Amino acid sequence: MTSRERVRAVVDARWFNRFIIGVIVVNTIGLGLETSPDLMASHGTLIHTVDMTAIGIFIVELAAKFYAYRLRFFRDPWNWFDTVVVGVALVPAGETFAVLRALRIMRALRLISQVPSMRRVVTALLSAIPGLLSILGLLLLVLYTSAVVGVQLFRDAAPDLFGDLTTSLFTLFAVMTMEGWQGIAEEVMAVYPAAWVFFIGYIVVTAFIVLNLLIAVLVSTMENQLSAERWEEDQSIEAVQHARVMEELRMLHDRLDEVQAALPRQTGSPDDLDRAEPAGDQAETTRHAVPPDTALPPTEKPDRLPEPAT
Amino acid sequence: MTSRERVRAVVDARWFNRFIIGVIVVNTIGLGLETSPDLMASHGTLIHTVDMTAIGIFIVELAAKFYAYRLRFFRDPWNWFDTVVVGVALVPAGETFAVLRALRIMRALRLISQVPSMRRVVTALLSAIPGLLSILGLLLLVLYTSAVVGVQLFRDAAPDLFGDLTTSLFTLFAVMTMEGWQGIAEEVMAVYPAAWVFFIGYIVVTAFIVLNLLIAVLVSTMENQLSAERWEEDQSIEAVQHARVMEELRMLHDRLDEVQAALPRQTGSPDDLDRAEPAGDQAETTRHAVPPDTALPPTEKPDRLPEPAT
Amino acid sequence: MTSRERVRAVVDARWFNRFIIGVIVVNTIGLGLETSPDLMASHGTLIHTVDMTAIGIFIVELAAKFYAYRLRFFRDPWNWFDTVVVGVALVPAGETFAVLRALRIMRALRLISQVPSMRRVVTALLSAIPGLLSILGLLLLVLYTSAVVGVQLFRDAAPDLFGDLTTSLFTLFAVMTMEGWQGIAEEVMAVYPAAWVFFIGYIVVTAFIVLNLLIAVLVSTMENQLSAERWEEDQSIEAVQHARVMEELRMLHDRLDEVQAALPRQTGSPDDLDRAEPAGDQAETTRHAVPPDTALPPTEKPDRLPEPAT
Amino acid sequence: MTSRERVRAVVDARWFNRFIIGVIVVNTIGLGLETSPDLMASHGTLIHTVDMTAIGIFIVELAAKFYAYRLRFFRDPWNWFDTVVVGVALVPAGETFAVLRALRIMRALRLISQVPSMRRVVTALLSAIPGLLSILGLLLLVLYTSAVVGVQLFRDAAPDLFGDLTTSLFTLFAVMTMEGWQGIAEEVMAVYPAAWVFFIGYIVVTAFIVLNLLIAVLVSTMENQLSAERWEEDQSIEAVQHARVMEELRMLHDRLDEVQAALPRQTGSPDDLDRAEPAGDQAETTRHAVPPDTALPPTEKPDRLPEPAT
């Protein structure tokens, strides 16, 4: 057992995973406490020490994983995620990097990559996105088109809402979430009374598209979860029933073999002329429509389950 | 190959479709930039030239398609859509046509007709509408009826909200989206304290109808997508199993033919009296409940799939 | 054909139904126009005449239906609805009955009882309600309990929101629709900073219950619509396959009858001892596990379809 | 019949359950009336007496149940709930226990434990929670992480919204419910114009997670309700069909027994060499692929229904 194998055994161990999860939780709480100036004044040193220790452990952890798996380490996108999130902590965070300093809390999101059940949930969420791209594109196209129309028509009526394209996009995103849309519409309608056509049309169209986006997510989720399981169960019982019927039919063939063997031999019967089969067991397989071995066995069923398109 | 055929080959080519999509994207970005007075002051000529070029390309494109397909061009509703959207650009857009000028951005929606996946999404959305007409009609009826009641009861209490039928319709549409309904209700309840009955009743009823509208869309979508696929898969395995059982039963008939042929002939058996069938192979088809050719073949299954009512 | 039969033929005729729908539409538009003081000043007499004529037609219509069907008229709840809605117009509507006068527009809702597709939609909506009573009761219980707690805890902090039980119920209904809840919570939290526990707890619990109410409607609707249809289709193909297998098996029995009849008679065979059946056709039905008549026929299938619990 | 058995018969009786429900309803209404100072001034003594009597009845009820079931009383979590809810009434409720006094209305929630249909609904709601823990955890993680980022970035821009971690959590919970998010975003964007990235990103991510939470509830509910019922029905018809086919095949075996018995005996047939079975009825079971007793009987089906994972 080389040192690489020993390191790999450690980083793959369950206790190691739990230890890292514990460090992430402690670090996450610590970063939350850092937001309190009072606590920072009284226990700042302790909180900083905990943060530094956590970062140190994470660096050792990732280095160990990289040592254990070498370039295969980068095949797992979650490892990329972990590396970037930990790497953010190492950037010198001055005033100019206030955002980067704020992003240190992203380390809390390492919980997603380390807790298996959350990892599964996020993977499932992300896997739904490709199937939504067309309808998301449509939504963005409607948003953009409406924003351009909004600027051109309502720029003078409500410059704070439709003054330029960015403002107009933000305003119409708010209208799409139905947030304060009535106030927005009334401000514009004070100048252009017919503007309700634009707003109600926009709300109805985007609500309908968003609804269908929602349904697309639902259908994709149900295809993956509900149906597959239930259907499998369904099919396996049917497969057992089918196998029994086939077995019974096979037995009937055997019985007929016996009957034929017991019959007084006759030459010149119409069947024998064009078949001329050997009697008895040897004939059995040729007379079966489906040889016993190729009959759909229940144990092979799962392989034939449809892979639902995502 | 006539010139018409050559033109058709061009307008049907994949590269032509992609080129047009590219022109639409450039034109869409350009129309967005046009909303910025600063950019128009510095690069106005360039932006206008791009717009003019794009319109020119669209006119040539549509003319080519019309030349290639002649009157069949108008059979595709998307071609109508493209023609109208491009035609809007040709209308002289003065001050009196500010709306028409704003609608030039509708050309961005040509992306829908040109990108196949978006076209499918929009076609699917539109195909859901006929099944929703009854429930949409019910929603409009409740909205209209409530608006008339609103004017008659609350006109004096809140003239800005229920002054006339149009205002009342707009106010109640806002209440239906749950936007600012509490402020609206409180303004009326300051005069008529019992008005909460109207508002809560209206919210509960419309929310229930909208919810069912949502479910109607969902059911229609799932009927089209999820079920059909899964069901088809389901049926095809069952069809294979059924075909095997039928084949085995047919084999048993053949075996019995052989048994009968092997038996010593007897006259006067009860069966022969009322059936008097010819023996052997000729009898086979008449004795089969289902002739082999008419047995439900798996390959014909898709035709029998239920067409879900939209 | 008595006069009663002739009247019934008229009120059941399609043209009569369409005529009444036309009168309702005209009357509905008229009642909408009545909300405009300007129009009433200029065309008041005409609008009133149209209204009176419509009421007259409705009274004649209902009288004719009552004459045609006598007491059976009251078996259809929609006839009750029509009678009440038309009856409201006959109540002398002075100042004291302003609400009743406003309710005249309810006649527009007669469209629901007269247009078959809307009638179906409303019947379907109402049929979903019984299955929702438990969860609706739970929602009301949570609302009431929270309202009592709200009064007792926050009466002093926000008398306009939680001053008495009615106000508190209204406020918490608004919070349940998520409308302006943040402003409400902040007004209370200004006095009791810990009140966020109450509001967030209440929002999470009611949102979860409302979500399940929504799902209960969805499940009930899908049980009624989607599944039944698809399932029926599913079953009918399976039933056809099953019928074919059974038919084939019955044929095999017939063939064996012939085989047995053709065999040289033997006395004392083990089977004959304990069965002693008559040979041939007479024996056939007793040897069948299922007599042909009782075999599940496809045409009887719909009766056996499960009635989904609503 | 001991006194314990007699007490148990009483507390398990339907009339007792209905009596307790009646007392809860009266008590609930009384606690609602207590919120009105006017009513308390005029009928305070009566209302207090009703409350005291109800508490007395509840104490006797719970004591009787405890006497009847002894320690098994505590096995039912609903009994714990009832005991705690009644126990709250006995705590001396001074000014310092204003919250406890307000919680007396929780006794209304005893309706849930006493009305069977509400008990089922609540049990179903609670049973959905374990399956949601991963996605709820993800939601809380995103909320917490965003709140920390919010404090660090926007503390100076909007101290009333992002001043400390608790305020930031509350603000972002409000944004998640889409309540007043535009006003919040605009307050921050007045200082940091790029803050829209944070708000729109947060809204899109949480809306997507909440949507999937909703779908997870939906899928879990449908698995429990819709599918199980329909599937059972589905399977039972298939099981009946399967049983009929199997019965027919068994009959065919019996017929072949008779045929073989009727045949002239021959020695040395290929089959007899390796089987050497006794003829007739004794052979029947051994020749059956499936002995009749083990054939899937319809009545045993429910046991084999899949238990949907919650």
Side-chain angles (χ1 to χ4, degrees):
Chain A
M1 198 179 189
T2 67
S3 70
R4 177 162 281 125
E5 282 167 344
R6 252 173 292 147
V7 170
R8 195 181 295 178
V10 168
V11 299
D12 286 351
R14 206 162 177 188
W15 65 261
F16 187 76
N17 177 250
R18 292 198 175 162
F19 168 69
I20 294 295
I21 291 173
V23 174
I24 297 168
V25 169
V26 168
N27 194 17
T28 300
I29 294 170
L31 286 165
L33 297 178
E34 258 187 49
T35 61
S36 159
D38 292 351
L39 269 174
M40 284 306 281
S42 58
H43 299 82
T45 327
L46 174 65
I47 294 174
H48 263 301
T49 311
V50 168
D51 192 34
M52 286 302 125
T53 314
I55 292 175
I57 293 171
F58 293 153
I59 291 170
V60 170
E61 174 215 351
L62 292 174
K65 282 184 178 168
F66 180 67
Y67 177 74
Y69 289 101
R70 277 180 285 189
L71 288 178
R72 269 189 298 151
F73 174 81
F74 290 111
R75 283 203 204 140
D76 181 351
W78 287 111
N79 285 337
W80 284 89
F81 177 78
D82 287 348
T83 308
V84 169
V85 152
V86 170
V88 164
L90 304 178
V91 175
E95 282 302 299
T96 47
F97 290 110
V99 170
L100 274 186
R101 204 163 37 118
L103 291 182
R104 285 181 309 152
I105 187 63
M106 297 278 281
R107 288 207 293 270
L109 301 182
R110 288 203 64 203
L111 274 181
I112 298 170
S113 65
Q114 299 301 315
V115 180
S117 66
M118 292 185 99
R119 196 164 165 160
R120 270 197 302 276
V121 164
V122 171
T123 306
L125 291 186
L126 294 179
S127 73
I129 289 176
L132 306 176
L133 287 184
S134 296
I135 203 158
L136 268 175
L138 181 64
L139 193 61
L140 289 178
L141 186 61
V142 169
L143 182 63
Y144 177 84
T145 307
S146 306
V148 172
V149 171
V151 176
Q152 289 179 336
L153 293 183
F154 308 140
R155 194 201 312 249
D156 311 320
D160 56 320
L161 297 170
F162 293 99
D164 56 54
L165 194 54
T166 324
T167 316
S168 185
L169 279 167
F170 183 75
T171 302
L172 288 176
F173 180 79
V175 172
M176 195 166 75
T177 67
M178 306 256 177
E179 222 297 289
W181 76 265
Q182 203 202 3
I184 293 167
E186 274 171 0
E187 190 175 331
V188 173
M189 282 162 70
V191 182
Y192 300 116
W196 64 265
V197 176
F198 174 81
F199 285 102
I200 292 187
Y202 175 77
I203 286 175
V204 168
V205 168
T206 52
F208 191 58
I209 298 178
V210 167
L211 168 59
N212 278 277
L213 188 61
L214 185 156
I215 291 170
V217 180
L218 176 64
V219 170
S220 132
T221 309
M222 291 185 68
E223 258 176 0
N224 289 334
Q225 284 187 263
L226 178 92
S227 316
E229 282 172 33
R230 215 171 62 69
W231 192 83
E232 193 169 337
E233 195 78 35
D234 208 6
Q235 290 306 307
S236 66
I237 288 192
E238 273 174 33
V240 167
Q241 291 179 343
H242 178 67
R244 281 179 189 166
V245 170
M246 293 301 282
E247 188 59 29
E248 288 289 314
L249 291 170
R250 214 166 286 136
M251 286 280 166
L252 284 172
H253 277 287
D254 291 347
R255 304 291 302 278
L256 279 169
D257 286 337
E258 293 173 39
V259 168
Q260 280 188 301
L263 283 175
R265 290 276 127 192
Q266 286 181 316
T267 51
S269 83
D271 273 302
D272 286 353
L273 285 178
D274 53 325
R275 296 211 192 170
E277 295 170 330
D281 279 336
Q282 289 163 282
E284 201 223 61
T285 45
T286 58
R287 281 178 183 173
H288 264 49
V290 186
D293 299 345
T294 60
L296 213 62
T299 47
E300 281 177 35
K301 275 325 261 309
D303 295 346
R304 294 169 177 263
L305 281 179
E307 290 298 314
T310 45
Chain B
M1 197 178 190
T2 68
S3 71
R4 177 160 282 124
E5 284 168 343
R6 251 174 293 145
V7 170
R8 194 182 296 178
V10 168
V11 298
D12 287 350
R14 204 160 179 187
W15 66 262
F16 187 76
N17 177 249
R18 292 201 174 161
F19 168 68
I20 293 296
I21 291 173
V23 174
I24 296 169
V25 169
V26 168
N27 194 18
T28 300
I29 294 169
L31 287 165
L33 298 177
E34 257 186 49
T35 61
S36 159
D38 292 351
L39 270 174
M40 284 306 281
S42 57
H43 300 81
T45 327
L46 174 66
I47 293 174
H48 263 301
T49 311
V50 168
D51 191 34
M52 286 302 125
T53 315
I55 292 175
I57 292 171
F58 293 153
I59 291 170
V60 170
E61 174 215 352
L62 291 174
K65 281 184 179 168
F66 181 67
Y67 176 75
Y69 288 101
R70 279 181 283 189
L71 290 178
R72 268 189 298 150
F73 175 81
F74 290 111
R75 283 204 204 139
D76 182 351
W78 287 110
N79 284 338
W80 284 88
F81 176 79
D82 286 349
T83 309
V84 169
V85 152
V86 170
V88 162
L90 305 177
V91 175
E95 282 300 301
T96 48
F97 290 110
V99 171
L100 274 187
R101 203 163 40 117
L103 291 182
R104 286 179 310 151
I105 186 64
M106 297 279 282
R107 288 207 292 270
L109 301 182
R110 287 203 63 202
L111 274 181
I112 298 170
S113 65
Q114 299 301 315
V115 180
S117 67
M118 292 186 100
R119 198 165 164 158
R120 269 197 302 276
V121 164
V122 171
T123 306
L125 292 186
L126 294 178
S127 73
I129 289 176
L132 306 176
L133 286 184
S134 296
I135 204 159
L136 267 176
L138 180 65
L139 194 61
L140 290 178
L141 186 60
V142 169
L143 181 63
Y144 177 84
T145 307
S146 306
V148 172
V149 170
V151 176
Q152 288 180 336
L153 293 182
F154 308 140
R155 195 201 312 249
D156 310 321
D160 56 320
L161 298 169
F162 293 99
D164 55 53
L165 194 53
T166 325
T167 317
S168 185
L169 280 167
F170 183 75
T171 302
L172 288 176
F173 180 79
V175 172
M176 195 165 77
T177 66
M178 305 255 177
E179 221 297 289
W181 76 265
Q182 205 203 1
I184 293 167
E186 274 171 0
E187 189 175 331
V188 173
M189 282 162 71
V191 183
Y192 300 115
W196 64 266
V197 176
F198 176 81
F199 285 101
I200 292 186
Y202 174 78
I203 285 175
V204 168
V205 168
T206 52
F208 192 58
I209 298 178
V210 167
L211 168 60
N212 277 276
L213 188 61
L214 185 156
I215 291 170
V217 181
L218 176 64
V219 169
S220 131
T221 308
M222 292 186 67
E223 257 176 0
N224 290 334
Q225 284 187 266
L226 177 90
S227 315
E229 282 171 33
R230 213 171 64 67
W231 193 83
E232 192 169 338
E233 196 78 35
D234 208 3
Q235 289 306 308
S236 66
I237 287 192
E238 273 173 34
V240 167
Q241 291 179 343
H242 179 66
R244 280 181 188 163
V245 170
M246 293 300 283
E247 188 60 30
E248 287 290 314
L249 290 170
R250 213 167 288 135
M251 286 281 165
L252 283 172
H253 277 286
D254 291 348
R255 304 291 302 279
L256 279 170
D257 286 337
E258 294 174 40
V259 168
Q260 280 187 301
L263 282 176
R265 290 276 128 190
Q266 285 181 319
T267 50
S269 84
D271 273 303
D272 286 352
L273 285 178
D274 53 326
R275 297 211 192 167
E277 295 170 333
D281 279 337
Q282 288 164 283
E284 198 223 62
T285 46
T286 57
R287 283 180 183 171
H288 263 50
V290 187
D293 299 343
T294 60
L296 213 63
T299 48
E300 280 177 36
K301 274 327 259 306
D303 295 346
R304 295 171 177 263
L305 280 180
E307 291 298 313
T310 46
Chain C
M1 196 179 192
T2 67
S3 70
R4 178 161 280 127
E5 284 168 344
R6 251 172 293 147
V7 170
R8 195 181 294 178
V10 168
V11 298
D12 287 351
R14 205 160 179 187
W15 66 262
F16 187 78
N17 177 249
R18 292 198 175 163
F19 169 69
I20 294 295
I21 290 173
V23 174
I24 297 169
V25 169
V26 169
N27 194 17
T28 299
I29 294 168
L31 286 165
L33 298 177
E34 257 187 49
T35 60
S36 158
D38 292 350
L39 268 174
M40 284 306 281
S42 58
H43 298 81
T45 328
L46 174 65
I47 293 173
H48 263 301
T49 310
V50 168
D51 192 32
M52 286 301 124
T53 313
I55 292 175
I57 293 170
F58 294 154
I59 291 170
V60 169
E61 174 215 353
L62 292 174
K65 282 184 179 167
F66 181 67
Y67 176 74
Y69 287 102
R70 281 181 283 189
L71 289 178
R72 269 189 297 151
F73 175 81
F74 290 111
R75 281 205 204 138
D76 182 352
W78 287 110
N79 284 338
W80 284 89
F81 176 77
D82 286 349
T83 309
V84 168
V85 152
V86 170
V88 163
L90 305 177
V91 175
E95 284 299 302
T96 48
F97 289 109
V99 171
L100 274 186
R101 204 162 39 117
L103 291 183
R104 286 180 310 152
I105 187 65
M106 297 279 282
R107 289 207 292 270
L109 301 181
R110 287 205 63 202
L111 274 181
I112 298 169
S113 65
Q114 299 300 317
V115 180
S117 68
M118 291 185 101
R119 197 165 165 158
R120 270 197 300 277
V121 164
V122 171
T123 305
L125 292 185
L126 294 178
S127 73
I129 290 177
L132 307 176
L133 287 184
S134 297
I135 204 160
L136 268 176
L138 180 65
L139 193 62
L140 290 178
L141 186 60
V142 169
L143 181 62
Y144 177 84
T145 307
S146 306
V148 171
V149 171
V151 176
Q152 287 180 336
L153 293 183
F154 309 140
R155 195 201 312 249
D156 309 319
D160 56 320
L161 297 170
F162 293 99
D164 55 53
L165 193 54
T166 324
T167 315
S168 184
L169 280 168
F170 183 76
T171 302
L172 288 177
F173 180 80
V175 172
M176 195 166 75
T177 67
M178 306 253 178
E179 220 298 291
W181 77 265
Q182 204 202 0
I184 293 167
E186 273 171 1
E187 190 177 329
V188 173
M189 283 161 70
V191 183
Y192 300 115
W196 64 267
V197 176
F198 175 81
F199 285 103
I200 292 186
Y202 174 78
I203 285 175
V204 168
V205 168
T206 53
F208 192 58
I209 298 178
V210 167
L211 168 59
N212 278 276
L213 188 61
L214 185 156
I215 290 170
V217 181
L218 177 63
V219 169
S220 133
T221 308
M222 292 186 68
E223 258 176 2
N224 290 333
Q225 285 186 266
L226 177 91
S227 316
E229 282 170 33
R230 213 171 65 68
W231 192 83
E232 193 169 336
E233 196 78 35
D234 208 5
Q235 289 306 306
S236 67
I237 289 193
E238 272 173 34
V240 167
Q241 292 179 343
H242 178 66
R244 281 182 188 161
V245 170
M246 293 302 282
E247 188 60 29
E248 288 289 315
L249 290 169
R250 213 168 287 136
M251 286 279 166
L252 284 172
H253 278 285
D254 292 347
R255 304 291 302 277
L256 278 170
D257 287 335
E258 294 173 40
V259 168
Q260 280 188 300
L263 281 176
R265 292 275 128 191
Q266 285 183 318
T267 50
S269 86
D271 273 304
D272 285 353
L273 284 177
D274 53 326
R275 296 211 192 167
E277 295 169 330
D281 279 337
Q282 287 164 284
E284 200 223 62
T285 45
T286 57
R287 282 178 182 172
H288 264 51
V290 187
D293 299 343
T294 60
L296 214 63
T299 48
E300 281 178 34
K301 270 331 257 309
D303 296 346
R304 294 170 177 265
L305 281 179
E307 291 299 312
T310 45
Chain D
M1 197 179 191
T2 67
S3 71
R4 177 162 280 125
E5 283 167 343
R6 252 173 291 147
V7 170
R8 195 182 295 177
V10 168
V11 299
D12 287 351
R14 205 163 179 186
W15 65 263
F16 187 77
N17 176 248
R18 292 198 176 163
F19 169 70
I20 293 296
I21 291 173
V23 174
I24 296 168
V25 169
V26 169
N27 194 19
T28 299
I29 294 169
L31 287 164
L33 297 177
E34 257 187 50
T35 61
S36 159
D38 292 352
L39 269 173
M40 284 306 281
S42 58
H43 298 82
T45 327
L46 175 64
I47 294 174
H48 263 302
T49 311
V50 167
D51 192 34
M52 286 302 125
T53 313
I55 293 175
I57 293 170
F58 293 154
I59 291 170
V60 170
E61 175 216 351
L62 291 174
K65 282 184 178 167
F66 181 67
Y67 176 74
Y69 288 102
R70 279 180 285 188
L71 289 177
R72 269 188 297 150
F73 175 81
F74 289 110
R75 281 202 205 141
D76 182 352
W78 287 110
N79 284 337
W80 284 89
F81 177 77
D82 286 348
T83 308
V84 168
V85 153
V86 171
V88 163
L90 304 177
V91 175
E95 282 301 301
T96 47
F97 289 110
V99 171
L100 275 186
R101 204 163 37 118
L103 290 183
R104 285 180 310 150
I105 188 64
M106 298 278 283
R107 289 209 291 271
L109 301 182
R110 288 204 62 204
L111 274 181
I112 298 169
S113 65
Q114 299 301 316
V115 180
S117 67
M118 291 185 100
R119 197 165 164 159
R120 270 197 300 276
V121 164
V122 171
T123 306
L125 292 185
L126 294 178
S127 73
I129 290 176
L132 307 176
L133 287 183
S134 296
I135 203 160
L136 267 176
L138 180 65
L139 194 62
L140 290 178
L141 186 60
V142 169
L143 180 63
Y144 177 85
T145 307
S146 305
V148 171
V149 170
V151 176
Q152 289 179 336
L153 293 183
F154 308 139
R155 194 201 313 249
D156 310 319
D160 56 320
L161 297 170
F162 293 99
D164 56 54
L165 194 54
T166 324
T167 316
S168 185
L169 280 167
F170 183 76
T171 302
L172 287 176
F173 180 80
V175 172
M176 195 166 74
T177 67
M178 305 255 178
E179 221 299 289
W181 77 264
Q182 204 201 4
I184 293 166
E186 274 171 1
E187 189 175 331
V188 173
M189 283 161 70
V191 182
Y192 300 115
W196 65 266
V197 175
F198 175 81
F199 285 102
I200 291 186
Y202 174 78
I203 285 175
V204 168
V205 168
T206 54
F208 191 59
I209 297 178
V210 167
L211 168 59
N212 278 277
L213 189 61
L214 185 156
I215 290 171
V217 181
L218 177 64
V219 169
S220 133
T221 309
M222 292 186 68
E223 259 176 1
N224 289 334
Q225 284 187 265
L226 178 92
S227 317
E229 282 171 34
R230 215 171 64 67
W231 192 83
E232 193 169 335
E233 196 77 36
D234 207 7
Q235 289 306 307
S236 67
I237 288 191
E238 273 174 33
V240 167
Q241 291 179 344
H242 179 66
R244 281 181 189 164
V245 171
M246 293 301 284
E247 188 59 29
E248 289 289 316
L249 290 170
R250 215 167 285 136
M251 286 279 165
L252 284 172
H253 277 287
D254 291 347
R255 305 291 302 277
L256 279 170
D257 286 336
E258 294 172 40
V259 167
Q260 281 188 300
L263 283 175
R265 292 275 128 192
Q266 286 182 318
T267 51
S269 85
D271 273 303
D272 285 354
L273 283 178
D274 53 326
R275 295 211 194 172
E277 295 170 329
D281 280 335
Q282 288 164 283
E284 199 224 63
T285 46
T286 58
R287 281 178 182 173
H288 265 51
V290 187
D293 299 345
T294 60
L296 213 63
T299 47
E300 281 178 32
K301 273 331 253 315
D303 295 346
R304 294 171 177 264
L305 282 179
E307 291 299 311
T310 45

